[in-house]
Amino acid sequence: MYREGEFPLFGAPTFLNDKGEECIPQHYLQFQHSLKSVEKIVTDVEYDEKYPIFVCEDDFGLYIQVGIIGYDNYLQLGTQLNQKIVYGRKWRVEPNLPTSEIIQTLFLALQKAKEHEVRELFVLRQGEIKSTPFNCHHDLPLMADMSNMLLSKSIRDEKGNMTQLIVSWLALIQYNGFDIHLNHVERLSQGGWVLTLSCLESVCLNEESFIPAKMTLLLSVINQNTLYHSLMNELVNLAHLHVSEHFTYRGFTRFSRQLDIFAVANLSVSSRRLHEEGQYQSFKTEWSKLNYDTDETRVPVLSNGILGDKLKSLIESYSPLAGQIPKLSF
């Protein structure tokens, strides 16, 4: 059983699925994906209609791109008549990439698109000024030039009434226009802090409905900077989890925590060792050569420049190094 863009190797081992159907596992196939075959994969993927996935081709080859439909995160919601569509980065797809890896690329692209939105929804208020310190559009070269000014001066626990401090810190932020409240704070006997936070009930009704009614944070130290970072990490983790639990390929939630890890491990073991059986010795030789040739297409070429010299020196420092060494362009 194989799909468009997939070709079985001659003499490849077969495997019986739970329906009693004979199929060839992915690692015994060759791949030559096209725009049409990648489009077919995408049509079998479901997540959220506000995150459409596009498959395109340009002079450099195939790529997938996630669109995001919604209101502008930097404008007042009530002032916007219409939603808009924006697009994420291009994720390149090599024609010889296994179908499973293309599906994983789709999953990762959606996770990162979701994370991008989440980071823009965390708002810090400083008087009349509002900013989104965790967004992905900061000027990184400028930040590197001013790194001394940007380093946090607060690395230890704050002193004083911790409940009052945390409440005051939370009063300076909003997520997607909603306030976040402190329910409980407790210092652990072995060090660190546990915080329970909640959003207003109406937050569960908006588009970012992956936010639970309560969130629990575990902090090694507690200060304003650490609190904001920990809260942002939790929001990103929740967004990633939302994609994991709702991303499906042909109705299957591959990355869901509901999957039995032992069942996944057993299926992997039983389907990946078929070539070790005695009757597949000649196939094993051909299969190993194909894997090597495929890996050879992914070996980078070192440029004749500063980075090329740096990488060449690094790799030589690990000599002798197994695997396929980067090629030299000079």
Side-chain angles (χ1 to χ4, degrees), residues 122-126 154 156-174 179-182 185 193 195 197 217 219 221-229 231:
F122 187 107
V123 174
L124 175 65
R125 294 175 290 196
Q126 301 178 80
S154 177
R156 296 188 178 89
D157 286 344
E158 291 278 4
K159 304 297 183 183
N161 187 313
M162 196 54 63
T163 299
Q164 290 182 0
L165 280 172
I166 295 171
V167 169
S168 68
W169 298 337
L170 292 175
L172 298 179
I173 64 171
Q174 282 189 328
D179 295 326
I180 297 176
H181 305 277
L182 175 67
V185 57
W193 299 81
L195 278 64
L197 309 176
L217 304 182
L219 284 67
V221 297
I222 192 163
N223 53 60
Q224 192 170 12
N225 202 60
T226 303
L227 173 63
Y228 293 161
H229 275 283
L231 179 55

Side-chain angles (χ1 to χ4, degrees), residues 199-217:
C199 293
L200 295 175
E201 184 178 353
S202 54
V203 79
C204 298
L205 304 177
N206 69 65
E207 295 176 7
E208 303 300 331
S209 56
F210 59 84
I211 305 174
K214 292 184 179 179
M215 293 177 285
T216 300
L217 304 182

Side-chain angles (χ1 to χ4, degrees), residues 260-279:
D260 185 332
I261 291 300
F262 287 93
V264 172
N266 291 336
L267 176 59
S268 177
V269 169
S270 60
S271 64
R272 294 189 68 88
R273 295 183 176 180
L274 300 173
H275 61 275
E276 295 179 0
E277 298 178 12
Q279 69 267 36

Side-chain angles (χ1 to χ4, degrees), residues 261-306:
I261 291 300
F262 287 93
V264 172
N266 291 336
L267 176 59
S268 177
V269 169
S270 60
S271 64
R272 294 189 68 88
R273 295 183 176 180
L274 300 173
H275 61 275
E276 295 179 0
E277 298 178 12
Q279 69 267 36
Y280 293 116
Q281 284 304 310
S282 59
F283 167 80
K284 184 176 180 180
T285 300
E286 185 64 26
W287 177 64
S288 297
K289 180 180 182 302
L290 174 67
N291 286 340
Y292 181 89
D293 292 342
T294 300
D295 290 342
E296 186 75 9
T297 67
R298 296 176 179 141
V299 176
V301 177
L302 298 180
S303 64
N304 186 9
I306 296 175

Side-chain angles (χ1 to χ4, degrees), residues 7-222:
F7 304 93
L9 294 172
F10 179 75
T14 58
F15 180 80
L16 288 180
N17 62 23
D18 58 357
K19 299 176 182 177
E21 299 169 333
E22 196 173 69
C23 61
I24 300 175
Q26 288 265 298
H27 48 284
Y28 299 133
L29 298 177
Q30 285 181 293
F31 302 89
Q32 190 57 47
H33 281 292
S34 63
L35 180 68
K36 184 179 178 182
S37 67
V38 177
E39 285 183 334
K40 179 60 176 68
I41 295 170
V42 171
T43 59
D44 287 331
V45 165
E46 297 289 342
Y47 172 58
D48 181 338
E49 64 179 16
K50 289 185 176 291
Y51 289 79
I53 303 171
F54 300 88
V55 182
C56 305
E57 190 170 19
D58 59 19
D59 292 340
F60 302 101
L62 296 166
Y63 65 88
I64 60 174
Q65 197 169 15
V66 175
I68 304 171
I69 298 173
Y71 293 102
D72 193 311
N73 294 330
Y74 294 103
L75 298 177
Q76 289 290 334
L77 190 59
T79 65
Q80 302 181 58
L81 296 177
N82 300 307
Q83 298 184 76
K84 63 187 292 188
I85 184 168
V86 295
Y87 306 95
R89 54 152 291 181
K90 298 176 180 178
W91 297 74
R92 292 290 171 182
V93 176
E94 305 161 53
N96 62 359
L97 201 62
T99 301
S100 290
E101 293 187 30
I102 294 176
I103 296 168
Q104 290 178 88
T105 301
L106 295 170
F107 172 76
L108 182 59
L110 285 167
Q111 272 200 335
K112 288 304 172 184
K114 193 78 170 178
E115 177 181 334
H116 185 279
E117 292 299 286
V118 168
R119 290 184 175 279
E120 291 185 351
L121 294 172
F122 187 107
V123 174
L124 175 65
R125 294 175 290 196
Q126 301 178 80
E128 297 299 316
I129 299 174
K130 295 182 179 180
S131 61
T132 54
F134 293 107
N135 81 64
C136 301
H137 301 292
H138 293 294
D139 186 334
L140 299 189
L142 175 62
M143 293 175 73
D145 289 341
M146 304 181 68
S147 60
N148 288 336
M149 185 195 79
L150 296 173
L151 290 175
S152 173
K153 307 299 188 296
S154 177
I155 58 175
R156 296 188 178 89
D157 286 344
E158 291 278 4
K159 304 297 183 183
N161 187 313
M162 196 54 63
T163 299
Q164 290 182 0
L165 280 172
I166 295 171
V167 169
S168 68
W169 298 337
L170 292 175
L172 298 179
I173 64 171
Q174 282 189 328
Y175 180 74
N176 201 17
F178 294 91
D179 295 326
I180 297 176
H181 305 277
L182 175 67
N183 292 348
H184 180 71
V185 57
E186 181 179 344
R187 185 159 197 172
L188 302 175
S189 59
Q190 65 271 33
W193 299 81
V194 174
L195 278 64
T196 304
L197 309 176
S198 65
C199 293
L200 295 175
E201 184 178 353
S202 54
V203 79
C204 298
L205 304 177
N206 69 65
E207 295 176 7
E208 303 300 331
S209 56
F210 59 84
I211 305 174
K214 292 184 179 179
M215 293 177 285
T216 300
L217 304 182
L218 178 62
L219 284 67
S220 56
V221 297
I222 192 163

Side-chain angles (χ1 to χ4, degrees), residues 307-325:
L307 179 60
D309 292 341
K310 179 180 178 180
L311 291 171
K312 184 172 180 290
S313 176
L314 170 68
I315 291 167
E316 287 177 346
S317 71
Y318 285 93
S319 182
L321 188 64
Q324 287 157 290
I325 307 301

